[in-house]
Amino acid sequence: MIPSHEPHIVPGTERGLMVVVVGPSGAGKDTLMALAARHFQGRPDVHFVRRVITRHGDAGGEHHLAVSPQGFASMEQAGSFSVWWEAHGLKYGIPSEVSVSLAAGNLVIANGSRSALHRFQAVFPRLKVVNVTARAEVLATRLEARGRETHEDIMARLARGPLTVRGDYDVVDLDNSDSLEEGERRIVEVLNGFLNELV
């Protein structure tokens, strides 16, 4: 359930589009978002959200605002998040300021989670989902390279974890099995398509 004090956007006032990028471990979601952010750097109508996470600031991965669990709880109680969720022992928050950018008619892109899409849908009337995937053998190779799991554990996880998005969402599937250059081309193409909807 979304707490009642979380800010909702009033229907009819949201001119922009909220884009939530999701995908399984190894699909390269964070990398593609970083490449897309570099490509659109300097465009005032494209905003990449800096998430608030209860994770150390130098833990690697995306550029986020690191807070303590207590700090996150205080921000949540103060209504500082449009959406927040918990996964893998961490809490993630989308700052409520995104509503200003959406009201201005901008494209707002956030790193999300498939398990939290219902929360985004409840708050953002105009929601797009980009589901970053890759072929199973590519995911396995990338996950093995991290050295965090055994080959058997990885294959078992891939076997039980569907790569599709379940639910009534407007989804674009993006296969990121190939080169970084091809992945960047694909996500830029998708985001440009969304921008065309705002014209």
Side-chain angles (χ1 to χ4, degrees):
M1 294 289 292
I2 301 177
S4 59
H5 56 263
E6 285 194 2
H8 282 35
I9 295 175
V10 178
T13 66
E14 185 186 46
R15 297 171 50 224
L17 284 175
M18 168 58 77
V19 179
V20 183
V21 183
V22 300
S25 297
K29 175 182 64 170
D30 292 350
T31 300
L32 288 189
M33 289 192 68
L35 291 170
R38 184 182 66 183
H39 177 87
F40 289 102
Q41 186 175 5
R43 286 197 56 161
D45 56 343
V46 181
H47 174 65
F48 285 83
V49 177
R50 184 185 181 192
R51 297 194 296 182
V52 179
I53 309 177
T54 55
R55 179 173 61 197
H56 201 276
D58 58 5
E62 68 184 277
H63 177 58
H64 65 280
L65 176 61
V67 299
S68 66
Q70 295 79 12
F72 191 99
S74 295
M75 294 178 72
E76 187 267 317
Q77 289 295 321
S80 299
F81 303 128
S82 291
V83 175
W84 70 270
W85 68 97
E86 188 169 0
H88 311 297
L90 298 172
K91 289 186 176 181
Y92 302 80
I94 303 298
S96 57
E97 288 81 6
V98 299
S99 61
V100 176
S101 191
L102 288 168
N106 297 329
L107 188 70
V108 177
I109 303 104
N111 192 335
S113 169
R114 286 175 292 178
S115 65
L117 284 177
H118 64 289
R119 296 193 172 204
F120 282 91
Q121 189 178 57
V123 175
F124 301 108
R126 302 187 69 191
L127 178 69
K128 301 283 188 177
V129 179
V130 177
N131 181 39
V132 179
T133 64
R135 295 187 299 272
E137 64 271 19
V138 174
L139 290 175
T141 299
R142 291 174 181 170
L143 291 172
E144 284 187 56
R146 296 180 180 181
R148 301 173 187 169
E149 300 172 275
T150 66
H151 176 78
E152 290 74 18
D153 288 341
I154 290 170
M155 297 311 295
R157 175 144 69 94
L158 292 177
R160 66 176 179 266
L163 302 181
T164 56
V165 171
R166 295 177 176 175
D168 185 20
Y169 305 107
D170 188 350
V171 182
V172 174
D173 289 309
L174 193 160
D175 188 330
N176 188 37
S177 300
D178 301 312
S179 66
L180 279 178
E181 292 76 15
E182 180 61 17
E184 179 179 8
R185 184 195 67 78
R186 289 175 180 171
I187 194 167
V188 167
E189 181 179 61
V190 169
L191 295 179
N192 274 326
F194 295 155
L195 281 169
N196 289 335
E197 294 186 31
L198 296 176
V199 175

